[in-house]
Amino acid sequence: MNAVALELDGLAVDFSGFRAVDGVSMAVAHGELRVLLGANGAGKTTLMDLISGKTKSTEGRVYVHGRDVTNQREHKIARAGVGRKFQIPSVFSGLTVRQNLEVAQSGQPGVFANLKMRLDTEAQERLDETLDLIGLTDEAETEAGVLSHGQTQWLELGMLMIQNASVILLDEPTAGMTAGETAKTAEIINRLKGKHTLLVVEHDMAFVRDIAERITVLHLGKVLAEGNVAFIENHPDVKAAYLGKQGIS
Amino acid sequence: MKTLFSSYHVWAYLAFAIVILALPLIGDEFWLNRVAKYLCYGMLGAAVALTWGYAGILNLGQGLFFGIGAYAMAMSLKLKSYTSMQQGSETPVPDFMLWNAEPGAPTDLCCITPGSWLWIPFQSQWVGLIVAVVLPAVFAYIMGRIIFGQRISGVFVSIITLALVLLTRLIVTDAQPLTNGFNGLTDLGWFTVFGVELDPYSKVTYMVVAVALIIVLALTRMLVATRAGTILQATRDSDTRALYLGYDVPAYQSFFFAVSAGIAGLAGMLYVIVAEFASPSFLELSFSVTMVVWAAVGGRGSILGACIGAILINMLEARVSETESLVEAWKLIIGFVFVIVVIYLPKGLSGLAHDLMSKLQSAPKLSSVQKEEAHQ
């Protein structure tokens, strides 16, 4: 159970002189939920871009379950088991909620493997379960483009579940949510924990306390500290660099 | 709800099939020949809807694929024409090649004009038929792999396709000894199936085109209903999301781009059989843009809608062209229709039909709910 699901080894990217991520090494165990903290420009989103293949790294390696996926093309990394949720929710707006989840079931991603009409019963059941889990059963036949902001975020989470990604990257999953929506999101994320390995970028400290086990703090592209919530909250360097004199409110 | 929803689609396709199959009962051969041309345009409209509506790729050069299909078939039929046997050679040689030949060139396809050997395989009409469908598809697939592989999208794809069709037109008109340039290929022979010559002005030829259109529409509709079709629509809405789900997005785009090109090639090929000519005007920008208007008016989100849009607009155009004062105004009228549709009917006629059907279907449902309430 304690096998490492995601390992970064000295990962860095150099944007013509500016090192947005500068030698980050970390290991996230299977089933763990890791929160990435850091001020604006600390390199959190860039780190996710490097892991998922959106940006090519200039140094270091990325391993998913021991497999080297460094700088592979995005869909190859996705097939290796990395799922990603973007800061701005991105779903297929012209398709119904059900179709969105059907597409997310990407076990066989080839064109010719998909020249068939429907999913098998087992897959259908999983789809219904997921709909229930994200609370969108009633909206199954609704076009995703008309969902509320919160519902869109949950749909995207549902898509990651059904994609069966072993490592899930979440970039600010509660951005722009109401308190009620945030609570529900925390509930969904807590359910993902254990089965999936999660790496979450988040600013909302109340939410972080709800979900986090371990926190990694980034500062200017480097790892500043790593530990549990209490350790991070009392870490002097973190206070100075990120939280300011007031500490965590 | 889902079964009801899909069943009226099936009915729409069936109704369309019955109507076009029944037309020979009411019209004469001259009129049917004209309708057969519109059916070819309808097929072309469906091809545009497949890429534009389902893949979100606005191809402003669809005429390129139609043109390749048309020329491939026209080359075969030109060689079957009696005019190709009047050059004093044993084997057929197109008349225009003789006119364009250097003095002293042997009257044979091998070397009468530079590149005339390209015509040799087209002595078989089946080569013409296969090339008409396969060449556009293969060409589109390679184009797609290059364009979409570079993550080029949106208006840039339109500009590239537009440039390609104009470039091809330039080459075709310039290669006079090989293509008869501006004049195109005329005086064509007839396609022959099982000993039956497809006289363009016959009910048999009309039925061949009608059946081909029905088959293409049914297969295309089935294709977009597969999982692959849903995934294609997903790439239209968000290619990044699809990519991060593990789909090789350029592979999907290229595949459907190629299918659409193959359909356009088939349409061009059938058009030549009924219209008896192929001309560089198929490669003009205005023709490719016109196809987009057909699809927009009919509804690009629907294969059948775009097909019907193409047929209706062409029927209207034919009607208008009979009134002399309106001929000049036609471009204005069609432009005006396009603007109106874009503003008020973004989903075209099929979107309108869809909304009407949903209203009709929800009305009785509402009353049953009311009945239940009354019961309680």
Side-chain angles (χ1 to χ4, degrees):
Chain A
M1 199 58 195
N2 275 329
V4 172
L6 175 69
E7 188 183 355
L8 309 181
D9 182 15
L11 202 59
V13 63
D14 195 321
F15 295 123
S16 36
F18 170 65
R19 296 171 74 86
V21 169
D22 191 2
V24 170
S25 296
M26 62 193 278
V28 187
H30 180 81
E32 184 186 340
L33 188 153
R34 178 72 60 93
V35 172
L36 275 182
L37 274 183
N40 283 333
K44 306 177 301 281
T45 301
T46 309
L47 187 66
M48 292 204 161
D49 287 346
L50 294 179
I51 298 171
S52 62
K54 190 175 179 215
T55 307
K56 304 277 175 250
S57 62
T58 43
E59 279 167 41
R61 318 297 306 168
V62 179
Y63 301 93
V64 176
H65 294 292
R67 199 172 131 197
D68 189 347
V69 297
T70 317
N71 292 347
Q72 286 190 4
R73 287 169 63 200
E74 291 112 312
H75 70 273
K76 291 270 167 66
I77 294 178
R79 287 179 197 178
V82 177
R84 177 167 189 190
K85 201 190 141 321
F86 291 91
Q87 210 163 339
I88 300 156
S90 118
V91 297
F92 307 123
S93 54
L95 303 181
T96 64
V97 168
R98 181 181 292 279
Q99 283 177 319
N100 267 277
L101 293 173
E102 275 175 11
V103 171
Q105 204 139 36
S106 53
Q108 292 173 304
V111 178
F112 291 99
N114 283 303
L115 290 178
K116 58 184 179 193
M117 286 302 176
R118 47 178 49 248
L119 297 168
D120 51 60
T121 358
E122 194 191 330
Q124 284 291 350
E125 276 167 17
R126 243 188 84 211
L127 206 152
D128 289 332
E129 271 171 35
T130 310
L131 273 174
D132 191 43
L133 201 69
I134 57 174
L136 292 178
T137 308
D138 292 339
E139 282 80 15
E141 306 303 332
T142 309
E143 237 177 56
V146 302
L147 294 178
S148 74
H149 177 71
Q151 287 172 325
T152 311
Q153 300 268 28
W154 299 328
L155 174 58
E156 203 178 3
L157 283 174
M159 288 164 76
L160 291 174
M161 286 181 212
I162 220 158
Q163 178 192 0
N164 222 357
S166 59
V167 176
I168 296 180
L169 313 176
L170 302 176
D171 203 345
E172 298 199 31
T174 66
M177 280 190 171
T178 63
E181 287 172 334
T182 304
K184 187 174 165 186
T185 307
E187 190 190 319
I188 295 174
I189 290 176
N190 276 322
R191 288 215 205 184
L192 290 173
K193 210 154 63 175
K195 259 189 281 178
H196 305 264
T197 307
L198 293 115
L199 188 61
V200 185
V201 167
E202 189 51 70
H203 289 293
D204 182 342
M205 276 317 292
F207 179 71
V208 170
R209 282 197 205 95
D210 256 6
I211 60 166
E213 291 162 351
R214 284 177 77 79
I215 298 176
T216 299
V217 182
L218 288 183
H219 184 59
L220 301 177
K222 290 194 168 89
V223 175
L224 186 67
E226 194 174 302
N228 60 27
V229 181
F231 175 75
I232 293 297
E233 276 180 331
N234 297 312
H235 198 290
D237 290 349
V238 176
K239 277 187 179 168
Y242 173 49
L243 303 165
K245 284 174 187 151
Q246 298 96 330
I248 297 172
S249 54
Chain B
M1 170 166 169
K2 204 170 182 184
T3 48
L4 261 178
F5 178 74
S6 38
S7 73
Y8 95 74
H9 280 246
V10 172
W11 286 114
Y13 277 81
L14 271 180
F16 177 77
I18 291 168
V19 167
I20 65 169
L21 289 177
L23 286 184
L25 298 175
I26 56 165
D28 61 15
E29 276 84 358
F30 181 75
W31 183 71
L32 284 177
N33 174 269
R34 205 195 245 177
V35 177
K37 286 179 197 164
Y38 303 158
L39 296 188
C40 296
Y41 290 149
M43 196 182 282
L44 201 46
V48 172
L50 181 60
T51 44
W52 190 24
Y54 284 84
I57 302 162
L58 177 55
N59 181 354
L60 284 184
Q62 192 78 12
L64 173 59
F65 306 131
F66 183 86
I68 296 175
Y71 267 90
M73 181 43 74
M75 282 162 80
S76 274
L77 297 186
K78 180 71 186 172
L79 292 176
K80 291 185 84 175
S81 162
Y82 68 94
T83 59
S84 294
M85 294 308 292
Q86 293 172 338
Q87 275 60 259
S89 62
E90 305 256 309
T91 50
V93 173
D95 45 13
F96 70 86
M97 283 192 184
L98 197 69
W99 310 333
N100 285 289
E102 300 265 338
T107 312
D108 190 279
L109 274 185
C110 75
C111 24
I112 179 164
T113 59
S116 63
W117 53 270
L118 279 169
W119 281 63
I120 292 173
F122 289 88
Q123 291 177 64
S124 159
Q125 59 168 16
W126 301 109
V127 170
L129 184 138
I130 291 166
V131 170
V133 179
V134 173
L135 186 63
V138 170
F139 187 54
Y141 186 79
I142 295 169
M143 247 169 85
R145 272 295 179 178
I146 295 170
I147 296 175
F148 307 128
Q150 299 292 319
R151 302 288 304 272
I152 296 170
S153 61
V155 70
F156 300 102
V157 178
S158 309
I159 292 169
I160 293 171
T161 51
L162 182 154
L164 272 175
V165 73
L166 291 181
L167 180 70
T168 312
R169 180 172 171 275
L170 203 65
I171 293 170
V172 167
T173 48
D174 206 45
Q176 168 101 4
L178 194 62
T179 62
N180 204 18
F182 274 110
N183 305 311
L185 300 174
T186 51
D187 291 323
L188 305 183
W190 292 346
F191 196 82
T192 320
V193 204
F194 306 123
V196 181
E197 286 197 312
L198 293 183
D199 175 354
Y201 293 91
S202 72
K203 290 187 174 171
V204 178
T205 306
Y206 173 83
M207 287 308 256
V208 167
V209 176
V211 169
L213 176 61
I214 291 167
I215 294 173
V216 165
L217 286 180
L219 287 180
T220 313
R221 184 65 185 79
M222 269 155 40
L223 184 65
V224 295
T226 59
R227 262 179 69 72
T230 314
I231 294 163
L232 178 75
Q233 295 171 65
T235 68
R236 171 199 64 196
D237 290 347
S238 169
D239 58 343
T240 337
R241 178 75 273 164
L243 210 55
Y244 284 98
L245 286 171
Y247 293 111
D248 183 359
V249 173
Y252 277 84
Q253 293 171 320
S254 307
F255 174 77
F256 283 91
F257 197 55
V259 171
S260 167
I263 295 172
L266 180 66
M269 181 212 106
L270 291 169
Y271 186 85
V272 164
I273 290 177
V274 290
E276 297 180 278
F277 76 94
S279 118
S281 65
F282 298 161
L283 302 170
E284 267 164 24
L285 180 59
S286 59
F287 186 51
S288 289
V289 171
T290 308
M291 295 170 208
V292 171
V293 176
W294 298 339
V297 170
R300 60 180 160 134
S302 159
I303 301 292
L304 180 61
C307 169
I308 291 176
I311 295 170
L312 285 183
I313 290 182
N314 279 289
M315 285 191 156
L316 193 67
E317 184 174 5
R319 182 54 58 85
V320 165
S321 65
E322 281 162 15
T323 321
E324 208 170 322
S325 56
L326 286 177
V327 175
E328 291 295 308
W330 171 248
K331 286 246 154 71
L332 256 165
I333 296 169
I334 191 72
F336 188 66
V337 167
F338 182 63
V339 171
I340 294 290
V341 165
V342 167
I343 295 174
Y344 294 104
L345 281 177
K347 287 179 176 173
L349 295 175
S350 70
L352 187 69
H354 178 87
D355 291 347
L356 285 176
M357 289 309 287
S358 325
K359 274 199 188 123
L360 282 177
Q361 282 174 358
S362 60
K365 224 187 255 166
L366 199 75
S367 62
S368 71
V369 171
Q370 283 165 344
K371 259 182 231 159
E372 265 173 42
E373 278 171 358
H375 210 70
Q376 285 165 353

